[in-house]
Amino acid sequence: MRIFFHLGRYCLFLKKVFGKPEKHSVFIKQIVREVDKLGIDSLGIVIIISVFMGAVITLQTAYNIDLPIIPKYTVGLAARDSILLEFSSTIVGLILAGKVGSNIASEIGTMRVTEQIDALEIMGINPAGYLVLPKVVAFVFIIPALVTISMAVGIGGGYLAGSITGEVPGPEYIYGIQYAFQPFYIVYALSKAVVFAFIISTISAYWGYYVQGGALEVGKASTQAVVASSVQILLFNLILTQLLLA
Amino acid sequence: MIEAIDIHKSFDDKEILKGISAGFEKGKTNLIIGQSGSGKTVLLKSLVGLHDITSGDIRYDGHSFLELDNTAKKRLRQDIGMLFQGSALFDSLTVEENIRFPLDMFTNWSLEKKRERANFCIDRVKLENANNKFPSEISGGMQKRVAIARAISLNPKYLFCDEPNSGLDPRTAIIIDELIQEITKEFDMTTIVNTHDMNSVMGIGEKIIFIYQGHKLWEGTKDDIFHVQNKELEDFIFASKLFKKIRDNNI
């Protein structure tokens, strides 16, 4: 029954979040700040993880299809498809659920327990709309860029790993990543990423917004935000895959 | 003037406020006193609409708060300033930005005019060299001053203070109390202060309401509080050894 309670309260929370912003000039400034905080600050971890994952995917594929009858370029093809279809959207989404989700939940949770949210309400400001909507808009706006960078860097990491180890020569890898390329995979990955960004930002904000207590509860809310966001990402990954690729 | 009329407030099955009626007068510092857990904060938060009351009515200058639509409530809230127990300053904003915040949200003034108003409020609460500091970089007493400055930046009609001197040393606590009283007179506001500090009661208690276990047990002024024959109120007042000594020695 608890899940229905949270689902209902989450829907009411979204209604508050998507209320009209108090002042458009302030709203735009907040979006720019959140793009920097949630997006640009996540760039480092996205690049590092993408390089290494691209490299590992390439090497594992190369070691597992090490048969003379299978051309080497298939390693590039497999690495490209793995990165485009799953890694850059879903895995990066899960990583960002940890980084961005915990950041949002703890920031809003701390504001709740230190009465900063009450202070906003007293002033006649809709706290959910003021605090959360800029985060949602900023994250949904910036995540396609993060995922696109992840795709490029991941494929680049694969190229480097294949070339340096000699498992997949550079020209064959390049041929492989171009072979039978389907542009729709990019649309598919970016569509998933946008949905994941919405899930991460709203679910994390929800857990932070309704914290009651002190530092311990903020920590718990942060953990719950990451767990709930991750589970929803996996669920929606399945649903979107069926809807978009079937 | 703010009136509380037979306010009841329950959380789940637990009734916290049990039919409180009181009037809070304009131009005076009205104090709500009582032990921790007596329902003071719930009453204060109910009066400003942070808690929905279970039954009863709250009137601001004769208008029922509960009957106001959202737009009217929002307009009324711009006439309310509140000083929270922990100051509730926005961590990510500097002192000046905190004070300017209500002006940024609700006025179309130029930046210069907003800064001028913020600096007026900063001067009024006697803050020095703090404009560009963040809340974490200033002392508790200074944070309270910033919170007061923020609360008065929009020139409110009503000021609510939830335990304004908790966590402060006695000297700073007196300064904050005096500041609240001065501002109340200067801006002719209806001020309600929640406290369990007897120094505040004796310092600024022009009208006092004593709450005990969700009931209003007594109402009066600081001049007659020592002459009341009420066990709960006596226990509250003379819990302090100093006040006990004053009573016992008939000072």
Side-chain angles (χ1 to χ4, degrees):
Chain A
M1 291 309 283
R2 196 102 189 112
I3 193 167
F4 293 112
F5 166 76
H6 285 299
L7 193 61
R9 198 166 65 165
Y10 173 72
C11 292
L12 293 172
F13 173 69
L14 287 185
K15 196 179 154 198
K16 282 188 202 167
V17 168
F18 288 97
K20 190 171 167 259
E22 299 295 337
K23 209 169 180 185
H24 282 92
S25 55
V26 175
F27 181 60
I28 301 293
K29 272 186 205 163
Q30 281 179 289
I31 291 177
V32 172
R33 199 163 44 208
E34 296 298 342
V35 163
D36 180 46
K37 201 168 75 181
L38 302 180
I40 310 299
D41 282 359
S42 303
L43 199 56
I45 192 163
V46 167
I47 289 174
I48 291 169
I49 288 170
S50 301
V51 169
F52 283 97
M53 286 300 285
V56 170
I57 289 169
T58 302
L59 291 181
Q60 283 189 352
T61 310
Y63 295 141
N64 281 291
I65 56 172
D66 193 17
L67 291 170
I69 53 163
I70 301 176
K72 284 283 182 192
Y73 72 81
T74 51
V75 175
L77 185 151
R80 178 202 72 198
D81 283 355
S82 303
I83 289 168
L84 294 193
L85 290 172
E86 233 14 69
F87 172 73
S88 286
S89 52
T90 312
I91 305 298
V92 167
L94 288 169
I95 288 158
L96 291 177
K99 186 192 177 288
V100 174
S102 62
N103 176 303
I104 292 175
S106 54
E107 181 189 325
I108 294 179
T110 304
M111 289 188 80
R112 167 63 76 192
V113 300
T114 55
E115 296 179 310
Q116 292 176 49
I117 290 181
D118 287 345
L120 285 170
E121 208 165 332
I122 290 291
M123 290 177 200
I125 295 165
N126 166 14
Y130 175 77
L131 294 173
V132 182
L133 188 56
K135 291 185 194 301
V136 177
V137 173
F139 200 39
V140 164
F141 170 76
I142 197 70
I143 205 162
L146 287 176
V147 169
T148 307
I149 290 167
S150 165
M151 288 171 181
V153 173
I155 290 172
Y159 174 82
L160 285 176
S163 305
I164 291 166
T165 58
E167 287 296 326
V168 190
E172 294 214 40
Y173 186 85
I174 297 288
Y175 179 75
I177 61 171
Q178 292 173 328
Y179 184 79
F181 172 65
Q182 293 198 37
F184 180 71
Y185 285 180
I186 305 272
V187 176
Y188 163 77
L190 296 183
S191 306
K192 283 204 302 183
V194 166
V195 173
F196 296 160
F198 182 82
I199 288 171
I200 293 167
S201 52
T202 56
I203 290 181
S204 305
Y206 166 80
W207 282 103
Y209 194 79
Y210 289 104
V211 165
Q212 282 183 322
L216 188 67
E217 284 74 17
V218 173
K220 278 183 189 169
S222 185
T223 308
Q224 276 167 324
V226 175
V227 171
S229 303
S230 303
V231 171
Q232 292 307 313
I233 285 172
L234 295 174
L235 178 68
F236 274 85
N237 186 32
L238 187 67
I239 293 169
L240 290 171
T241 301
Q242 182 62 22
L243 285 175
L244 296 172
L245 291 186
Chain B
M1 166 125 187
I2 300 171
E3 294 162 277
I5 302 164
D6 194 25
I7 293 183
H8 289 259
K9 171 65 187 169
S10 301
F11 291 101
D12 298 323
D13 294 335
K14 197 174 178 193
E15 192 175 27
I16 306 296
L17 302 180
K18 300 163 183 169
I20 291 184
S21 295
F24 303 97
E25 294 168 27
K26 194 180 176 190
K28 284 187 178 176
T29 40
N30 301 269
L31 264 57
I32 301 172
I33 62 169
Q35 293 170 343
S36 298
S38 59
K40 299 187 303 289
T41 300
V42 175
L43 175 59
L44 196 80
K45 288 192 172 178
S46 298
L47 290 173
V48 293
L50 283 175
H51 292 320
D52 293 327
I53 56 174
T54 312
S55 67
D57 198 8
I58 296 157
R59 292 180 174 273
Y60 281 76
D61 294 326
H63 303 286
S64 170
F65 181 76
L66 305 181
E67 287 170 11
L68 298 177
D69 60 23
N70 282 343
T71 316
K73 262 186 195 163
K74 203 170 168 179
R75 211 175 304 127
L76 174 68
R77 283 199 159 138
Q78 286 163 35
D79 283 332
I80 294 176
M82 185 153 178
L83 173 58
F84 286 87
Q85 195 172 350
S87 300
L89 298 175
F90 304 122
D91 308 318
S92 57
L93 304 180
T94 62
V95 163
E96 189 187 307
E97 287 166 344
N98 261 286
I99 297 166
R100 230 173 50 207
F101 182 82
L103 306 171
D104 286 337
M105 296 305 290
F106 298 112
T107 71
N108 289 317
W109 294 357
S110 65
L111 180 64
E112 198 182 332
K113 196 175 175 188
K114 284 186 280 192
R115 293 191 74 171
E116 201 177 295
R117 175 68 188 167
N119 283 321
F120 166 78
C121 297
I122 287 170
D123 289 343
R124 185 63 200 81
V125 297
K126 300 183 183 86
L127 266 173
E128 282 169 10
N129 305 321
N131 287 41
N132 296 319
K133 289 186 175 164
F134 285 92
S136 58
E137 295 170 340
I138 57 177
S139 68
M142 285 171 89
Q143 286 182 12
K144 298 277 181 182
R145 287 167 193 256
V146 178
I148 294 172
R150 185 178 67 182
I152 62 169
S153 64
L154 276 176
N155 232 336
K157 288 184 190 167
Y158 316 100
L159 179 65
F160 293 83
C161 308
D162 188 13
E163 306 206 4
N165 43 26
S166 71
L168 300 180
D169 66 86
R171 178 79 197 112
T172 311
I174 290 168
I175 290 170
I176 295 294
D177 280 345
E178 287 172 353
L179 189 57
I180 290 169
Q181 193 169 39
E182 281 169 26
I183 284 167
T184 301
K185 303 289 176 205
E186 192 178 322
F187 296 94
D188 196 25
M189 292 186 292
T190 306
T191 298
I192 303 178
V193 180
N194 223 348
T195 186
H196 48 60
D197 181 1
M198 279 308 293
N199 289 324
S200 298
V201 174
M202 296 317 295
I204 59 168
E206 291 175 283
K207 181 169 182 182
I208 304 162
I209 286 157
F210 175 63
I211 307 281
Y212 181 77
Q213 292 184 352
H215 295 280
K216 185 183 87 178
L217 285 195
W218 179 81
E219 187 174 334
T221 67
K222 64 180 178 183
D223 298 324
D224 44 35
I225 196 166
F226 284 105
H227 311 295
V228 180
Q229 301 296 313
N230 179 302
K231 190 187 172 301
E232 283 77 22
L233 182 55
E234 278 185 9
D235 287 348
F236 175 76
I237 297 169
F238 301 111
S240 150
K241 282 182 181 163
L242 177 65
F243 281 95
K244 213 170 182 177
K245 208 168 181 179
I246 290 169
R247 181 189 60 178
D248 295 345
N249 293 309
N250 205 15
I251 300 169

